[in-house]
């Protein structure tokens, strides 16, 4: 192997690839809404990798541009460790004001199910009043999805029921029924889902119809594999891009981040998806 | 006033009850006393219901929750009593009046401000906007008389009674909180009857040392309860850290109904009050969770 | 960045300019620099205009004020430049878009929240509601979709540029204020371009010692100006007291136009910057106004 | 003279009588909105006289139930002395919330002009756009008048132009056009002006028409004197009450309060009224 190739990692999981791929979406000058669960990990990694100055806003009204020292993964948005390590602590309305004023340039959200228009369901499988599975509810994701400029969905398992054609319930708005329906519902025109990141691939959204299509493949994944495991007739980009594997540095940071998260009781085996 | 007396006097069946704290400073002690007193048909509201609402559902004291989520102990999983209730009607079917986090915050804010509604730029197009149609606190749209746009508005929530757990209060009820407050200040001030549970009772002079930390004034507080560790297993900035192990185990310990019943007996119905609860928790855990001091934030208030 | 440069870069003719501070922490230094740079046709807004707006009117930089009052130095008397402008058109006739104090606060709050309006339970039936019809920021009524009542709503104000004077900020613009804030946090965050003038530049670590005191984040600040005593003759908690004598004399010294012109020359156009102004003020007065230290408000932020 | 009479003061000004009379309206268990200028003095006096526990709310969001020690008269609502002597310091919206939630049981306001329905003008004499005299504007008085349960107007000179039949401009709402017009405008039904206190007398409002009438006379003032100096055809109570003169204690506290106010550059000679 050449030197160039050596800097890439060769053994890693789909979950790790998803985190690395999501983390690469963040830029150093972004103002990121740092939401709980997988996004916490991706934002943490970005901070350690290529975004040392990243300005993060959290749901209970915190600003951060530094990680707590010694580095500690907050167990949630409401971890008290965040307070003496923040530049601002307010209340939830302060956090909402930042969203509604359009100051959040990027947000990542992990979710149970995303449909082809980038809508998300964390509420219910089956009818709302007579649920087959009652999910926990969305928290602040509704507003984050509604008002962040670039929204990145994370789905940690690329299977049909996580990526259905249509949802039983929209908890967080994507492009609703596609085309201009999101704008008609009153959401700011410069907002909306930009990509869906899964262990298999990155999907983007057609500028016209707002339907998600396959844009780029993670290494060693085939177009067929993606299509077979997606809940709708997935459209494919004319030229499907190939995503680089994690670099050695990326995977090192990723795994340390996951260990830090385990220490804080993050549920890394997402067993709850088996309910779905 | 002991928590027992405060809940007896101020919380009645069928009322809408607000619980303060978002992650930090959650009013577990009050919730447990409400369970012990076997209140019925309470409507309960809180920005994030979490395992506190799961317990209120499992104990059968509420049939209607107004919140943005009801997660399990440490992550975005559904809690088991919630699932049993909604999927199987055990112990009873509840109404889950689902809100988004910021929507419910704005509803509390409208209640705080004494106005009937506040606009918000989200929710339209989601199921949260459309459901549940039958239970009142539903958003609507109005036309802005200035810009002509249609915008979502959420109604004020003014609970019958509310309870908060704060770091300190004076004996009259001037209560202070710092760190992560979430919706606590707006929610509690929107309430008609108010219970303040506090880690410490301090002299009024201590309150006046940093008056910006006061979240509610004595003039509207009905009961002050000295209740150390009242927020466990959530954190209280400057007092104790979140009991992650306890919360992590909660999911396993409540997954089947027999285990839940044991859990409830062990931590709630089998103890008399928060002091009893702390005995079950044990000194070792208490010492482990105690916050290491980081005393800071003094500024010059001189003139 | 010096105030001169900040105003040159960020404040332009015809813009709507927000000034922070309600009684305490008023942005006099910025207002004086705006006068020196001879800006024209500014619209200016502030919850209470006071003698700062009187000066902007007298110097001819504004033709439109949006505020709840324009008092003289120490009490509810009308200020003289305001009267000359409105009664005699000297130096020009201005539009006084009169608001009530809480109405303008709610308008700034709507701007802060990124929503087009907020309800308020006052103003209807007053002249403030009815006048002035021609200039935009007028309240309206909408029907509440929940209660059916007609309620007053006030529009969001989002100024083109805003300036605040705070106790401390870091070099990137994370700015902190404590004590009497009034409308400052909501008003400045509603602005499109932002100037932070500060008594002290501190390390980021100092900001993080009490993060609840931060009123605006660096991500949206366009200029940080190190400007000690920038709020004189108003107070700055922990730094200096209000110069009551100066304010009391202001009324006498500006009653006739020749005296006003002398006043303007002495304190504003005849000095180069705030340092020059402080020389005119004199060390004796400066020492007299300096705040005696009352260092307090530390709490435990431990976890 | 008997002992009973001796406790009353015999020499005092109409301005002092107005302050004493206003101060007597406040009860120890009131939650008072403490507004600037003359109300500051009356509330200060009440605190020192019969209301040691009075809970006061100020416009920049402060709560106080103690006077600053050593006793110091704040020069205004925004005096920094108020901060380390308050139980709460918030922002103006916090103060408004207390008003709008209906928690203020009493408020005193001093003003330039009050009409027969208890409306006030601090904006303009003459047309709004072409003023004869431009007044300073009302500040927060609009909301205080709109939402305090019991509103007490203070007028420091009982003359016709300060008490006109109709105003050129309503800055702060009283009963608007009388009868139920205030309620129709949306103000809470349990709010509104209760009395007007002048150097001459106390006026109250007819429960039906909401027109102000003479209720009680200050000592040594005649009904005729009041009628002649009021700008509308003043109605008179069936039995006009006689108000006690200031007690020695009241006048002592009143004069010390005025001296404290002078030290803080309060303009005690209201020379600006000569503009009217």
């Amino acid at each position: 192997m050449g030197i160039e190739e050596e800097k890439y990692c060769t053994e890693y999981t789909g979950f790790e690839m998803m985190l690395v791929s999501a983390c690469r979406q963040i830029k150093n000058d972004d103002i990121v809404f740092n939401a709980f669960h997988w996004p916490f990990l991706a934002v943490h990694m970005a901070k350690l990798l290529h975004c040392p100055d990243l300005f993060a806003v959290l749901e209970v009204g915190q600003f951060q541009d530094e990680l707590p020292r010694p580095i500690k993964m907050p167990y949630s948005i409401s971890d008290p460790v965040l307070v003496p390590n923040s530049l601002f602590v307010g209340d939830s309305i302060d956090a909402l004001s930042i969203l509604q004023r359009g100051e959040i340039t990027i947000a990542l959200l992990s979710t149970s199910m995303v449909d082809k228009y980038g809508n998300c369901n964390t509420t219910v499988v089956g009818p709302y009043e007579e649920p087959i599975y009652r999910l926990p509810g969305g928290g602040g994701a509704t507003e984050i999805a509604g008002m962040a400029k670039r929204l990145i969905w994370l789905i940690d398992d690329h299977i049909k029921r996580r990526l259905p054609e249509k949802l039983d319930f929209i908890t967080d708005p994507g492009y609703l029924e596609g085309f201009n329906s999101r704008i008609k519902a009153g959401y700011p025109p410069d907002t909306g889902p930009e990509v869906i990141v899964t262990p298999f691939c990155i999907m983007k959204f057609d500028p016209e119809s707002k339907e998600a299509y396959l844009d780029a493949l993670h290494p060693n994944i085939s177009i067929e594999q993606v299509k077979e495991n997606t809940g709708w007739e997935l459209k494919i980009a004319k030229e499907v891009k190939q995503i680089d594997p994690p670099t050695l540095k990326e995977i090192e940071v990723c795994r340390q981040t996951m260990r830090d998260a385990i220490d804080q009781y993050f549920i890394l085996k997402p067993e709850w998806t088996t309910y779905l | 006033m002991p928590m027992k007396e405060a809940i007896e006097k101020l919380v009645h069946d069928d009322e809408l009850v607000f619980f303060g704290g978002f992650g930090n400073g959650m009013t577990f002690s009050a919730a447990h006393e409400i369970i012990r007193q076997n209140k019925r048909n309470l409507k309960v509201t809180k920005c994030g219901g979490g395992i506190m609402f799961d317990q209120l559902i499992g104990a059968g004291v509420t049939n209607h929750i107004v919140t943005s989520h009801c997660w399990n102990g440490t992550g975005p999983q559904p809690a088991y009593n919630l699932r049993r209730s909604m999927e199987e009607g055990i112990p009873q079917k509840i109404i889950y009046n689902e809100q988004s986090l910021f929507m419910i915050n704005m509803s509390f804010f409208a209640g705080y401000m004494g106005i009937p509604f506040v606009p918000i730029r989200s929710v339209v197009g989601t199921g949260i906007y459309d459901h549940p149609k039958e239970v009142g606190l539903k958003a609507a749209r109005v036309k802005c008389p200035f810009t002509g746009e249609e915008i979502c508005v959420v109604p004020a929530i003014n609970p019958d009674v509310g309870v908060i757990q704060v770091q300190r209060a004076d004996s009259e009820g001037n209560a202070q909180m710092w760190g992560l407050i979430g919706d606590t200040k707006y929610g509690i001030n929107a309430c008609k009857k108010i219970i303040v549970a506090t880690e410490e009772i301090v002299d009024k002079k201590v309150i006046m040392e940093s008056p910006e930390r006061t979240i509610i004034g004595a003039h509207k507080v009905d009961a002050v309860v000295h209740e150390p560790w009242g927020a466990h297993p959530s954190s209280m900035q400057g007092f104790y850290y979140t009991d992650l192990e306890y919360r992590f185990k909660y999911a396993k310990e409540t997954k089947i109904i027999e285990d839940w019943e044991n859990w409830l007996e062990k931590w709630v119905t089998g103890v008399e009050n928060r002091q009893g609860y702390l005995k079950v928790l044990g000194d070792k855990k208490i010492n482990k969770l105690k916050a290491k001091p980081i005393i800071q934030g003094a500024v010059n208030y001189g003139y």
Side-chain angles (χ1 to χ4, degrees), chain A, chain B:
Chain A
M1 282 196 216
I3 290 160
E4 270 308 295
E5 286 170 49
E6 241 178 331
K7 73 176 184 181
Y8 289 111
C9 181
T10 48
E11 289 201 35
Y12 51 89
T13 68
F15 183 79
E16 289 167 340
M17 186 68 241
M18 177 196 74
L19 284 182
V20 168
S21 209
C23 159
R24 289 174 184 163
Q25 304 289 323
I26 307 168
K27 296 179 214 129
N28 190 35
D29 62 354
D30 266 325
I31 295 160
V32 64
F33 206 98
N34 192 9
F36 181 51
H37 221 215
W38 307 153
F40 252 45
L41 309 192
V43 170
H44 192 87
M45 286 163 57
K47 195 80 189 156
L48 292 170
L49 286 164
H50 58 286
C51 302
D53 305 314
L54 187 64
F55 198 86
V57 177
L58 284 82
E59 260 161 293
V60 193
Q62 312 96 312
F63 296 160
Q64 281 202 294
D65 74 348
E66 275 188 12
L67 295 172
R69 304 279 167 189
I71 288 176
K72 187 174 159 72
M73 170 70 62
Y75 77 83
S76 169
I77 51 162
S78 50
D79 191 329
V81 74
L82 289 164
V83 175
N85 289 290
S86 288
L87 290 161
F88 169 68
V89 167
D91 55 41
S92 297
I93 285 182
D94 291 315
L96 174 60
S97 79
I98 298 164
L99 273 165
Q100 286 191 149
R101 288 196 308 267
E103 291 172 10
I104 298 297
T105 62
I106 190 169
L108 291 76
L109 289 170
S110 49
T111 182
S112 327
M113 287 174 280
V114 168
D115 73 12
K116 71 173 173 178
Y117 292 124
N119 304 300
C120 147
N121 177 10
T122 50
T123 294
V124 70
V125 176
Y128 185 82
E129 287 83 4
E130 301 291 337
I132 299 166
Y133 297 112
R134 175 66 215 198
L135 300 170
T142 304
E143 283 77 19
I144 301 170
M147 289 174 288
K149 301 269 186 239
R150 300 169 56 213
L151 175 64
I152 315 294
W153 285 118
L154 304 193
I155 287 278
D156 59 23
D157 205 2
H158 196 128
I159 53 175
K160 282 190 174 187
R161 68 179 172 213
R162 303 286 300 278
L163 292 155
E165 171 140 19
K166 201 169 156 53
L167 300 169
D168 289 336
F169 189 99
I170 298 178
T171 312
D172 311 319
Y175 293 108
L176 298 177
E177 292 154 43
F179 299 94
N180 67 344
S181 60
R182 180 182 168 102
I183 288 171
K184 272 169 73 184
Y187 294 94
D190 55 351
T191 65
E194 186 174 87
V195 299
I196 302 170
V197 184
T198 80
F200 287 178
C201 68
I202 285 182
M203 300 181 190
K204 291 198 168 174
F205 292 86
D206 182 77
E208 188 70 22
S209 70
K210 308 295 187 191
E211 188 179 318
Y213 64 88
L214 173 63
D215 179 68
L217 287 168
H218 286 152
N220 309 315
I221 305 290
S222 70
I223 291 178
E224 266 322 293
Q225 216 175 335
V226 173
K227 288 186 77 163
E228 270 168 27
N229 289 286
T230 300
W232 67 89
E233 194 67 43
L234 185 68
K235 296 199 174 79
I236 313 296
K238 270 185 199 150
E239 285 182 58
V240 175
K241 300 180 199 85
Q242 272 296 334
I243 295 163
D244 287 337
T247 65
L248 293 176
K249 176 75 186 162
E250 281 171 335
I251 210 74
E252 184 198 320
V253 166
C254 178
R255 287 174 186 166
Q256 183 56 49
T257 299
M258 286 166 72
R259 279 191 295 273
D260 291 346
I262 291 169
D263 283 349
Q264 289 289 62
Y265 291 87
F266 272 59
I267 301 154
L268 271 197
K269 275 281 177 213
E271 51 172 317
W272 60 278
T273 61
T274 61
Y275 310 146
L276 300 182
Chain B
M1 189 184 294
M3 183 65 83
K4 184 163 183 288
E5 191 185 338
I7 300 293
E8 271 169 9
K9 275 196 180 162
L10 295 162
V11 180
H12 303 120
D13 291 355
D14 304 306
E15 288 185 327
L16 174 62
V17 188
F18 167 79
F19 296 88
F22 185 49
N24 181 62
M26 289 168 74
T27 51
F28 276 98
S29 164
H32 288 182
E33 184 56 36
I34 285 171
I35 293 174
R36 276 192 292 273
Q37 293 189 19
N38 202 23
K39 305 286 181 192
R40 278 297 176 263
N41 302 325
L42 295 180
K43 289 192 179 77
V44 293
T45 189
K46 187 173 192 325
C47 57
I51 63 172
M52 187 193 293
F53 276 17
D54 190 62
Q55 293 166 23
L56 295 173
I57 295 166
V61 303
T62 182
N63 58 3
H64 188 148
I65 66 173
V66 183
T67 189
S68 79
H69 66 70
C70 197
W71 283 4
N72 221 318
T74 59
Q77 305 166 297
Y80 291 104
N81 285 313
L82 170 73
R83 289 193 60 201
R84 272 191 288 273
S85 164
M86 299 209 66
E87 295 167 17
E88 304 166 53
I90 299 170
Q92 64 185 317
K93 184 108 183 173
I94 63 155
I95 293 169
Y96 187 160
N97 189 339
E98 185 165 342
Q99 312 279 308
S100 72
L101 176 68
F102 291 118
M103 179 188 181
I104 195 167
N105 267 277
M106 290 312 284
S107 285
F108 291 144
F109 180 78
Y112 175 79
M113 287 306 298
I115 49 180
F117 64 86
V118 183
I120 182 167
R121 291 205 177 275
S122 44
V123 199
V124 175
T126 69
I128 294 170
Y129 184 82
D130 294 326
H131 293 262
K133 288 187 164 57
E134 74 280 12
V135 286
L137 296 170
K138 187 178 151 7
R141 286 175 95 175
V142 304
K143 190 172 175 172
C144 172
F146 309 113
T147 63
E149 69 189 299
E150 290 272 328
I151 190 160
C152 182
V153 294
V154 296
I157 298 181
N158 287 101
D160 297 302
V161 55
V163 55
I164 54 173
Q165 178 84 26
V166 300
Q167 279 108 331
R168 66 190 185 195
D170 67 18
S171 58
E172 294 173 54
N174 295 297
Q176 298 197 319
M177 200 172 181
W178 56 91
L180 303 169
I181 289 178
D183 60 329
T184 309
K185 175 179 163 184
Y186 297 131
I188 195 66
N189 276 283
C191 295
K192 291 163 198 157
K193 294 174 289 179
I194 287 159
I195 301 169
V196 168
T198 178
E199 300 291 330
E200 282 180 350
I201 303 268
V202 296
D203 191 89
K204 190 159 76 169
K205 293 208 175 351
V206 175
I207 300 293
M208 290 162 82
E209 280 176 15
S210 50
E212 301 102 327
R213 303 193 194 281
T214 304
I215 62 167
I216 189 161
H219 67 292
K220 52 185 295 186
V221 172
D222 298 288
V224 179
V225 178
H226 183 210
E227 194 78 330
W229 290 81
H232 178 274
S234 75
S235 60
M236 186 55 95
Q237 194 96 38
F239 288 81
Y240 41 90
Y241 192 64
T242 316
D243 193 344
L244 291 171
E245 187 195 14
Y246 172 110
R247 296 170 70 107
F248 190 77
K249 280 157 74 181
Y250 178 83
K252 285 182 197 160
E253 292 172 351
T254 59
K255 186 165 182 172
I256 64 168
I257 188 144
E258 293 75 17
D259 288 349
W260 153 247
E261 283 163 357
N262 289 334
W263 192 97
L264 187 66
E265 160 77 19
K266 176 180 178 188
W267 293 104
V268 184
T269 53
V271 301
E272 207 184 323
N273 52 27
R274 185 89 322 201
Q275 286 73 48
Y277 175 98
L278 292 175
K279 274 190 201 126
V280 179
L281 188 62
D283 285 346
K284 200 180 147 193
K285 175 57 80 67
I286 287 174
N287 285 324
K288 195 183 156 214
L289 293 174
K290 251 183 206 156
K292 286 98 206 131
I294 303 177
I295 313 290
Q296 61 189 30
V299 293
N300 189 352
Y301 284 95
Y303 49 85

